[in-house]
Amino acid sequence: MLVHGLCLSDLQWTRQNHDHGAALAHELGYTPVYLSYNSGLHISINGRAFAEALEALVTAWRAPIEDFVVIGHSAGGLVARSAYAYGEEAGHAWRKKLGKLVFLGTPHHGAPLERIGNWVDVILGKTPYAAAFARLGQIRSAGVTDLRYGNLMDEDWRGRDRFARAPDTRRVAPLPDGVACYAVAATVAASPGGVKDRLVGDGLVPVASALGRHKDRARALEFPANRRWVTCETGHLDLLSRRDVYEQVVGWLVGKGGREQ
């Protein structure tokens, strides 16, 4: 199952004549299924709907499911994590079939561009002559404002002004138990570890966020060293078409492990 990112659609999985799903079908015999959803809605709303759709799909699937994998690009990874949490609450059967969860440039702990947009709202709102322009920032969708910190659940946003400056009060949501989880991060830098990783990352998502790292250990996502990987000189959308990214995913799916950079 492939889950697209924010402001994209299932069609964006085909980029520069490459489609991870089609390639996996050709090389490894997977049956690719592409989720299409309204990324303007809250992550949690899409997560709950995705959980219900997976339950219906797995129930109706006629052939035995041998290797159930979900690949999420960008915010699609957050939708997948949200779906698992809601599937767990509902006792869905599909969770027990899910074997692997792969994240490509997922902003597990948010994206700085949304935070910049939030600061612009605050600053312009306090300037009398610019107050009218502050309203322009408030056309950001619920899906976008969820990316400030990486909201997954209804309680992360319900009853709150999503445009107000506020601290990170998300419910702690660890990686799913019993599911092998993998994270690919990208940086536009020529080598990892520099300031660009922290501030720019792949142009949208910092490397630390994509790898689940957080200064609060309770929020940090524990990806094993051989299940996380950083690709250099790569932009956010390049994660959909880079050959080295695809080969890394294939290595994980066939059990060859990975490497940390």
Side-chain angles (χ1 to χ4, degrees):
M1 174 68 72
L2 297 97
V3 189
H4 66 78
L6 189 72
C7 300
L8 300 176
S9 74
D10 56 300
L11 299 179
Q12 267 64 51
W13 283 103
T14 300
R15 187 171 187 271
Q16 297 182 353
N17 297 316
H18 174 80
D19 176 346
H20 289 328
L24 289 172
H26 177 72
E27 292 191 31
L28 300 181
Y30 281 93
T31 300
V33 178
Y34 301 84
L35 178 68
S36 181
Y37 66 97
N38 180 359
S39 65
L41 300 177
H42 280 291
I43 295 292
S44 61
I45 292 175
N46 282 314
R48 185 183 292 103
F50 184 29
E52 294 171 354
L54 282 175
E55 185 72 353
L57 178 66
V58 168
T59 300
W61 202 264
R62 295 182 179 180
I65 298 177
E66 298 178 0
D67 190 9
F68 182 16
V69 178
V70 173
I71 301 176
H73 174 247
S74 191
L78 297 181
V79 172
R81 286 180 59 205
S82 178
Y84 192 92
Y86 283 118
E88 189 171 39
E89 287 185 1
H92 286 169
W94 66 264
R95 295 178 303 110
K96 297 180 181 180
K97 297 182 180 295
L98 180 63
K100 300 181 181 71
L101 186 50
V102 181
F103 302 101
L104 305 179
T106 293
H108 294 291
H109 300 305
L113 283 181
E114 206 304 306
R115 295 173 199 163
I116 291 171
N118 181 236
W119 272 100
V120 170
D121 286 350
V122 172
I123 294 169
L124 291 181
K126 292 182 179 297
T127 306
Y129 297 105
F133 293 100
R135 289 193 291 272
L136 294 176
Q138 296 189 3
I139 64 174
R140 303 195 309 278
S141 71
V144 170
T145 55
D146 277 343
L147 297 189
R148 188 175 310 156
Y149 296 118
N151 293 344
L152 297 180
M153 312 301 292
D154 289 343
E155 57 262 43
D156 295 338
W157 58 266
R158 183 171 286 162
R160 303 173 187 178
D161 179 357
R162 61 190 179 90
F163 297 108
R165 182 168 170 253
D168 182 3
T169 57
R170 290 173 296 157
R171 187 174 105 184
V172 173
L175 294 173
D177 286 333
V179 178
C181 295
Y182 307 84
V184 174
T187 177
V188 296
S191 59
V195 67
K196 284 186 178 180
D197 289 5
R198 298 191 300 273
L199 300 180
V200 180
D202 61 17
L204 288 176
V205 181
V207 169
S209 184
L211 296 181
R213 294 170 178 161
H214 199 284
K215 59 184 179 181
D216 180 353
R217 294 190 64 181
R219 295 190 181 281
L221 303 180
E222 301 297 332
F223 290 99
N226 66 341
R227 293 181 182 176
R228 58 180 186 257
W229 182 63
V230 181
T231 178
C232 299
E233 297 182 311
T234 302
H236 192 63
L237 292 180
D238 293 332
L239 290 165
L240 297 171
S241 56
R242 285 279 297 251
R243 182 68 191 182
D244 58 346
V245 173
Y246 171 73
E247 290 177 350
Q248 181 66 38
V249 172
V250 168
W252 282 331
L253 296 187
V254 299
K256 292 182 179 179
R259 61 192 184 279
E260 183 183 14
Q261 291 183 317

